[in-house]
Amino acid sequence: MPEIRNSVAPGRLLKRKFFARSVHDVASDLIGATLLFNGVGGIIVEIEAYHHTEPAAHSYNGPTPRNQVMFGPPGYLYVYRSYGIHWCMNFVCEAEGSASAILIRALEPTHGIALMRRRRMLHDERSLCSGPGKICAALGVTRDHNGLALDHAPIEIHARREVPQIVRDVRIGITKAADLPWRLGLKGSKFISKPFRNGA
DNA sequence: CTCTTGATCTTCT
DNA sequence: GAAGATCAAGAGC
């Protein structure tokens, strides 16, 4: 059984339908939700939205073998290789063919912390999941999990119970469409990958 | 704290 | 053949 340290109990399980609307609406509602993979994970405190109409998205130039999951129906997991080393995970949103997705950038660890520490070979809780590559390493997500449904095992996403305060900034690590303020964070969280300019 | 650099490989041109 | 939705370590302040 995973250890549970957070005093705030997660809410109801999200179904795939939750993701079948504007990627920006989904993003706002995901901050504060709890993501678990095989019972390991935590509270989503930082995400970025990508849409096929802007050049930073992997889907901008149309379907390819890599991004085919993005072009499928909403509510599925899109995993890609980053810089030849890391895995990064996304939630596909909107509608089939829309090819929009949300990059999961940081979690506040709450479930299975001992296992995450072992996988990351790192004790510091604040750094366990403070980046998209770190999350996949801590949760054990790889290319094998590309295309999994977000509302079936081994994935669980619990709705948040209260509406949090959200901060917003430009996205990290991109050169195209770098001015779009599509990075969202939980205000005041110490578990984000990088500070927000307007105070997180 | 910030800045720089190396690691490593898939993808698409 | 070049670029890339990253990370960790090291140098400098």
Side-chain angles (χ1 to χ4, degrees):
Chain A
M1 288 293 282
E3 57 184 295
I4 299 177
R5 298 174 70 259
N6 196 22
S7 56
V8 180
R12 71 181 170 81
L13 284 175
L14 297 183
K15 289 198 61 198
R16 288 211 293 278
K17 191 177 177 185
F18 174 87
F19 301 92
R21 58 205 166 103
S22 156
V23 68
H24 303 295
D25 292 343
V26 177
S28 294
D29 290 345
L30 270 182
I31 294 292
T34 295
L35 165 66
L36 302 180
F37 186 80
N38 284 320
V40 175
I43 302 166
I44 298 173
V45 297
E46 181 186 343
I47 51 185
E48 286 176 356
Y50 288 85
H51 196 271
H52 78 281
T53 52
E54 45 90 11
H58 286 171
S59 52
Y60 181 65
N61 289 312
T64 66
R66 174 176 71 159
N67 65 23
Q68 62 166 327
V69 174
M70 280 188 81
F71 283 86
Y76 287 84
L77 187 71
Y78 166 49
V79 180
Y80 71 93
R81 190 78 144 148
S82 175
Y83 288 90
I85 306 172
H86 312 289
W87 300 106
C88 297
M89 62 189 295
N90 298 254
F91 298 164
V92 177
C93 295
E94 300 198 350
E96 184 156 2
S98 175
S100 67
I102 294 173
L103 172 67
I104 311 302
R105 286 197 57 90
L107 303 180
E108 174 181 340
T110 57
H111 291 62
I113 292 179
L115 180 53
M116 289 194 274
R117 280 185 169 136
R118 216 174 310 141
R119 285 173 172 155
R120 297 262 298 118
M121 295 186 293
L122 186 73
H123 186 266
D124 177 23
E125 228 170 89
R126 288 170 62 153
S127 305
L128 279 183
C129 296
S130 59
K134 299 179 187 179
I135 291 175
C136 287
L139 273 57
V141 172
T142 69
R143 106 148 79 233
D144 293 343
H145 312 294
N146 188 37
L148 288 182
L150 296 177
D151 59 355
H152 286 93
I155 300 174
E156 276 178 43
I157 306 171
H158 297 258
R160 66 191 182 203
R161 311 194 106 195
E162 293 171 19
V163 179
Q165 282 197 286
I166 294 176
V167 287
R168 185 181 275 276
D169 203 345
V170 296
R171 296 172 294 183
I172 291 178
I174 57 172
T175 54
K176 303 170 212 162
D179 55 329
L180 295 175
W182 289 0
R183 173 180 176 238
L184 305 188
L186 177 64
K187 185 171 186 178
S189 175
K190 302 180 183 71
F191 298 89
I192 55 177
S193 66
K194 213 176 157 184
F196 284 73
R197 286 178 305 185
N198 42 335

